[in-house]
Amino acid sequence: IEELLSSQHFYNNNTTPYADDGFGGIIKSPLELMIGTYRFFEVQIPSLATDAAGFYERTGMIIDRVKTMGMDFYQPFDVAGYDAYHQFPIYHRSWITVNNLTNRYNFIYEFLPDVELYQFIRDNIDFSEASDARRLIIDLASFLLPQVNNLTFDTTVDESQQATVTSERLLYFLNKFLDIIDPDPEAAWTDRYTNQQGINTMEGQLHNLFNAMLQSPEYQLQ
């Protein structure tokens, strides 16, 4: 099994008729999207044993939310199950429609304000790296996005040598993160983070960064 999963064949895009069905090219189901986001941010579900009302309220919200994204939990449209798992030829692309995609993005947008992003970064990212805006983005991308080896902001590197998340995408995240609120945005972030000043400003910047990364097409893939 180890040999198989580490072999090149495991990563080859060889599913027809589409060429992007290999590793890192399958769209997450609504439930995978929600639970994966909850787990990344260490959101705790109330215990059924000690807080049954809270447990059913939270899990009911999750079930209602995934339904708006096209997954009526445990109630697929027909006995064969959800189209994304069996329906040729589009399979997992069945999860994406105009309405479903909007609701996937809305979930991210409405979820983030409930997370203390600044404290989350301080608790989970090495202090020295989090103070560097570019290192912070690369660290987050390594957890959040598929196929992220060889990440670089260097636009002169040949595209064939870059990861699936290209330097142009990383620069897009950087621009969303820092915006234009400072003459030297990267130095300003480092100063604020190192000296723990302007926390509200940093919270807003992190909200912009996570919103951009979690709403990105790459994050919708597994």
Side-chain angles (χ1 to χ4, degrees):
I1 292 175
E2 180 180 358
E3 183 176 352
L4 170 64
L5 298 184
S6 60
S7 71
Q8 185 59 44
H9 295 292
F10 184 70
Y11 297 92
N12 284 343
N13 294 327
N14 55 11
T15 302
T16 57
Y18 298 101
D20 60 348
D21 275 328
F23 179 79
I26 298 177
I27 297 168
K28 295 173 183 173
S29 74
L31 191 63
E32 289 168 328
L33 176 67
M34 284 198 70
I35 298 302
T37 303
Y38 272 45
R39 292 185 66 180
F40 178 76
F41 287 103
E42 300 176 345
V43 174
Q44 298 298 312
I45 303 296
S47 169
L48 177 60
T50 59
D51 183 8
F55 173 83
Y56 285 115
E57 180 181 2
R58 178 58 67 89
T59 54
M61 181 275 292
I62 293 174
I63 291 171
D64 289 342
R65 196 80 198 215
V66 298
K67 185 175 182 179
T68 70
M69 302 181 204
M71 186 180 198
D72 198 349
F73 195 52
Y74 277 134
Q75 298 187 53
F77 182 73
D78 57 47
V79 295
Y82 301 102
D83 287 352
Y85 297 120
H86 70 86
Q87 189 61 61
F88 177 86
I90 63 175
Y91 294 109
H92 57 96
R93 295 168 185 79
S94 300
W95 295 129
I96 301 300
T97 67
V98 173
N99 288 336
N100 291 349
L101 185 59
T102 298
N103 288 327
R104 290 167 80 103
Y105 287 165
N106 284 343
F107 158 65
I108 298 298
Y109 184 78
E110 294 168 8
F111 168 82
L112 287 175
D114 293 331
V115 182
E116 294 182 356
L117 297 172
Y118 170 74
Q119 192 60 50
F120 175 81
I121 290 297
R122 295 192 70 85
D123 291 343
N124 292 280
I125 305 294
D126 180 82
F127 184 90
S128 60
E129 293 203 348
S131 65
D132 183 320
R134 299 188 181 219
R135 281 303 319 168
L136 173 59
I137 290 172
I138 287 176
D139 283 349
L140 289 174
S142 69
F143 288 108
L144 293 170
L145 310 179
Q147 293 192 25
V148 289
N149 293 327
N150 305 319
L151 289 176
T152 178
F153 280 87
D154 186 357
T155 57
T156 65
V157 174
D158 188 283
E159 286 191 5
S160 64
Q161 303 301 313
Q162 295 186 26
T164 302
V165 184
T166 65
S167 56
E168 286 76 10
R169 292 295 289 154
L170 294 178
L171 288 168
Y172 167 78
F173 295 143
L174 183 68
N175 290 333
K176 287 292 185 180
F177 177 27
L178 300 178
D179 207 346
I180 53 173
I181 62 175
D182 302 291
D184 188 346
E186 293 186 53
W189 166 261
T190 299
D191 181 65
R192 287 193 190 99
Y193 191 84
T194 302
N195 296 302
Q196 300 183 47
Q197 297 176 343
I199 291 178
N200 288 339
T201 299
M202 287 189 288
E203 192 74 27
Q205 290 179 296
L206 288 169
H207 182 277
N208 291 339
L209 172 60
F210 276 105
N211 200 55
M213 295 187 79
L214 300 184
Q215 289 192 5
S216 68
E218 294 90 345
Y219 185 67
Q220 302 298 316
L221 302 176
Q222 62 176 350

